[in-house]
């Protein structure tokens, strides 16, 4: 049975997004590095900073992804409005005992163990203006999503993130689709 779960978008601010990462906004030129700057984890490989061109990403999703080895930064080119579905990181590490394996623990193809996010733990954030999101290591995410036909986004991750560090959970297997509502 298909279930559509409507999620009310919340404005991404440093306060509302802190459990999932950081909202990075403009700072004065010459400001010294501090906690308002992106706290990055890029030491496990070669960083990759690039522009993604994305088409037809409407405001719905059923799959959510995490990266266990890297923080990721996403922002729209030009500050256009976009949305990101998220759930807290649920990585358990690389070794688990058999008792834990019975309690909804999954081993990813990347080698780490995790607990899939529950549908009720998924939230959606609205991002607009000259800012970007830094996702904590392991933060589940779906998107970027947007109303426009196409948008460009800058993305900072590792050069091989989408090959060796890409774990996806498909809520669609349980008939769940999330719909973003403003």
């Amino acid at each position: 049975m298909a279930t559509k779960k409507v999620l009310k978008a919340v404005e991404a601010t440093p306060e509302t997004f802190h459990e999932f990462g950081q909202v990075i906004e403009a700072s004065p030129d010459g400001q010294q590095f501090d906690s308002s700057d992106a706290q990055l984890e890029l030491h496990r490989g070669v960083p990759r900073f690039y522009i993604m061109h994305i088409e037809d990403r409407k405001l719905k999703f059923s799959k959510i992804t995490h990266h266990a080895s890297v923080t990721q930064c996403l922002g729209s080119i030009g500050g256009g409005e976009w949305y990101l579905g998220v759930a807290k990181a649920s990585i358990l590490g690389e070794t688990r005992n058999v008792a834990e394996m019975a309690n909804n623990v999954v081993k990813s193809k990347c080698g780490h163990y995790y607990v899939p996010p529950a549908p009720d733990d998924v939230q959606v954030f609205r991002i607009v203006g000259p800012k970007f999101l830094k996702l904590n290591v392991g933060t589940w995410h779906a998107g970027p999503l947007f109303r426009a036909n196409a948008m460009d986004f800058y993305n900072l991750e590792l050069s091989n993130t989408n090959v060796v560090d890409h774990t996806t959970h498909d809520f669609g297997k349980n008939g769940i689709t999330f719909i973003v509502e403003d």
Side-chain angles (χ1 to χ4, degrees):
M1 182 168 124
T3 302
K4 291 186 179 182
K5 185 169 174 60
V6 176
L7 298 175
K8 180 83 172 149
V10 174
E11 188 71 26
T13 67
E15 296 76 28
T16 61
F17 197 74
H18 76 275
E19 294 181 293
F20 311 102
Q22 294 175 270
V23 175
I24 307 299
E25 301 180 79
S27 58
D29 185 32
Q31 178 176 314
Q32 295 296 310
F33 178 82
D34 64 17
S35 62
S36 67
D37 292 309
Q39 307 297 304
L40 302 173
E41 292 277 340
L42 297 170
H43 66 280
R44 293 184 179 114
V46 176
R48 179 183 183 204
F49 184 63
Y50 64 104
I51 296 173
M52 300 184 299
H53 177 75
I54 303 174
E55 297 180 3
D56 298 320
R57 287 280 180 92
K58 300 306 176 204
L59 302 184
K60 66 180 183 174
F61 62 94
S62 60
K63 293 181 180 179
I64 196 162
T65 298
H66 77 229
H67 308 300
S69 298
V70 66
T71 53
Q72 183 177 17
C73 294
L74 294 166
S76 69
I77 303 295
E81 179 182 79
W82 60 287
Y83 300 82
L84 190 71
V86 295
K88 289 182 192 175
S90 57
I91 297 170
L92 301 174
E94 294 182 9
T95 59
R96 293 285 116 199
N97 66 40
V98 175
E100 290 174 305
M101 293 296 287
N103 294 322
N104 204 24
V105 174
V106 177
K107 183 174 183 179
S108 88
K109 64 180 177 152
C110 305
H112 65 277
Y113 292 91
Y114 66 93
V115 176
D120 289 342
D121 293 338
V122 178
Q123 298 179 47
V124 171
F125 287 89
R126 177 180 176 267
I127 304 92
V128 65
K131 56 183 147 186
F132 68 89
L133 299 181
K134 189 275 307 196
L135 302 176
N136 289 337
V137 171
T139 294
W140 292 96
H141 56 285
L145 309 169
F146 44 87
R147 286 189 177 94
N149 291 331
M151 285 182 73
D152 293 332
F153 292 85
Y154 54 87
N155 188 358
L156 175 62
E157 56 190 9
L158 295 180
S159 61
N160 62 355
T161 293
N162 290 320
V163 176
V164 301
D165 187 21
H166 194 269
T167 301
T168 299
H169 176 70
D170 186 357
F171 289 103
K173 289 182 178 180
N174 295 320
I176 299 170
T177 299
F178 297 97
I179 307 297
V180 178
E181 183 179 88
D182 236 348

